[in-house]
Amino acid sequence: MNVPGSRGARDSHPADVAIIGAGVVGTAIARTLACQDVSCVLIDAANDVGTGTTKANTAILHTGFDTVPGSLESRLLRRGSALLRDYAQRAGIPVERTGALLIAWNAEQTAELPAIAGKANRNGCTDVRPVGTDELYRREPHLGPGALGALEIPGESIICPWTTPLAYATQALAVGARLRLRCRVTGIRTGDTEHQVVTSTGVVRCRWVVNAAGLYSDVIDRMLGGDGFTIQPRRGELIVYDKLARPLLGSILLPVPTARTKGVLVAPTVYGNVLLGPTAEDVADREERATTGAGLTLLLEAGRRILPGLVTEEVTASYAGLRAATADRDYQIRVDRARRYACVAGIRSTGLSASLGIAEYVAGELAEAGLRLAGKPEPDPPVMPYIGQAGTRPYADAARIAADPEYGRIVCHCERVTRGEIMDALASPLPPADLDGLRRRTRVLNGRCQGFYCAATVAALFAGTGPVPAPRSPTQASVTAEPA
Ligand SMILES: Cc1cc2nc3c(=O)[nH]c(=O)nc-3n(C[C@H](O)[C@H](O)[C@H](O)COP(=O)(O)OP(=O)(O)OC[C@H]3O[C@@H](n4cnc5c(N)ncnc54)[C@H](O)[C@@H]3O)c2cc1C
């Protein structure tokens, strides 16, 4: 699928930059460069943006309090988190500043808290503070017995991982970037002045290549002659609990991290559910996204200790995501002027939060290496449909329903998604390619019945065979989708 106006091999001029991978990192880079008048082609093998690791994570907007001070991750996460917080507010991306409590459950972990607070300070999080046992149980009365104390990290927040890349891509398209979906990169031919990116749907010519291919970034790197790193997929399994579990906690409940993982946490989601996870298990297969009996058992044991009431609540879904880990703990971001190539890899556990910081850094490094940026102020972001639980959604907005009754016609009753929202998504500048894409844009099929009651109606609306109302205007008329 080409969206919009992608001409690929038929282009008479090469693009300035081809970005391989339309996850949260690639879309962030595309929007940042395109807003500076850089001609960009964003390429992804999947049928939509944000379908890789980006759609299956813990959805926390991290402050970076626990990163390695002085690392690139620490710097870009701190910066990216601040940029995204501001961007989200303007773009209508759901964010809730719940804060986090990092809880010590034994004497050894209690002894580690001052060092973690010191590290947080060195990472610029100066508002982290100790919380005694009494205050901890007052704030989180459903916590399991045995907690000895905690650190409060007030800035930790929850965010919508689906709207974020959609907002970036929508903005990139609006300022002229081209998006090639269902387009797998299979090779790269490098000449003196341009690259020819060979894909499953033709050749894309460009001056620079940005490799943001996540789990496959080492494969793309080798296409450009690199062999500096190997991706080791690290699976994280999660359980999603029903909205009825939401009152069980106020903040994100974190464990004391180990050298290998941040550990199993309990967190609210911006859709009003509760998440338990993730596990951390190295797997051989980059497509191994199935949940396992062992993983879910481990999570239930951890959940029972942290929040005993949680494990008797109803489970809505479970899923797994794969972290793109490398032997190096830090991000692997390098710009090679001679090869006209930027490698943006090893964005393991924090890429959603750091995405705008990474994009800003990559753009700066590319400019240093000779890519021309316009140097102009950024345009306002697009205003995305709001799908969070904390704000007002269309079904509860009397004025909106009065203006258009389609916003009063609920199709998905679990998530209270209206026909108006579904029709808006289908007419949007970046429409969904399937029901999963529609789910990420509206929350439809995402509730406790997982589509049992509304799937047929939703599928008919999606296919255009249902009782569809008159066509609605796209939110940004300048961008249209082309057929594949
Ligand atoms: C369990 C888990 C929990 C996490 N929790 C958080 C969290 O709470 N907060 C946070 O900030 N981060 C979190 N992360 C990390 C975050 O999800 C990732 O860092 C981020 O999504 C990486 O984005 P990306 O764009 O680099 O990769 P991806 O989203 O994987 O995108 C890469 C894209 O490249 C495309 N691609 C690959 N090869 C090719 C090819 N040959 N041709 C064309 N396209 C190709 C893929 O289709 C894919 O869409 C978590 C990760 C996991 C797994």
Side-chain angles (χ1 to χ4, degrees), residues 160-187:
C160 177
W162 301 331
T163 313
T164 307
L166 284 168
Y168 296 163
T170 301
Q171 184 170 31
L173 293 177
V175 292
R178 286 173 288 145
L179 176 59
R180 295 189 56 146
L181 296 172
R182 294 195 182 98
C183 181
R184 180 174 297 283
V185 173
T186 54

Side-chain angles (χ1 to χ4, degrees), residues 199-367:
T199 78
S200 51
T201 59
V203 172
V204 176
R205 295 169 55 211
C206 59
R207 278 188 277 276
W208 288 82
V209 167
V210 172
N211 170 8
L215 288 162
Y216 292 88
S217 50
D218 55 344
V219 176
I220 300 293
D221 192 60
R222 276 183 219 116
M223 291 179 191
L224 282 145
D227 65 352
F229 65 96
T230 302
I231 295 293
Q232 167 59 65
R234 186 166 297 161
R235 176 165 54 190
E237 299 181 40
L238 293 112
I239 299 175
V240 186
Y241 284 92
D242 188 83
K243 290 180 187 38
L244 292 172
R246 179 65 185 86
L248 288 176
L249 74 170
S251 311
I252 301 162
L253 306 178
L254 301 172
V256 172
T258 66
R260 194 161 169 280
T261 162
K262 289 177 188 295
V264 174
L265 57 83
V266 186
T269 75
V270 292
Y271 321 115
N273 300 86
V274 176
L275 277 183
L276 170 65
T279 56
E281 175 205 0
D282 287 348
V283 291
D285 185 347
R286 297 171 201 235
E287 301 298 328
E288 186 56 78
R289 290 193 177 86
T291 52
T292 63
L296 299 180
T297 303
L298 186 150
L299 291 180
L300 290 176
E301 278 166 14
R304 200 167 285 120
R305 273 197 310 274
I306 303 167
L307 213 56
L310 184 64
V311 292
T312 57
E313 293 288 339
E314 283 189 23
V315 171
T316 298
S318 62
Y319 63 91
L322 297 174
R323 307 167 184 86
T326 65
D328 198 320
R329 206 192 152 94
D330 206 357
Y331 292 168
Q332 303 291 304
I333 305 182
R334 291 182 281 270
V335 173
D336 183 333
R337 178 196 289 257
R339 287 190 289 162
R340 300 183 312 284
Y341 168 52
C343 177
V344 189
I347 317 294
R348 184 172 47 175
S349 309
T350 50
L352 171 60
S353 312
S355 49
L356 288 180
I358 294 170
E360 183 184 72
Y361 177 75
V362 170
E365 293 290 299
L366 285 171

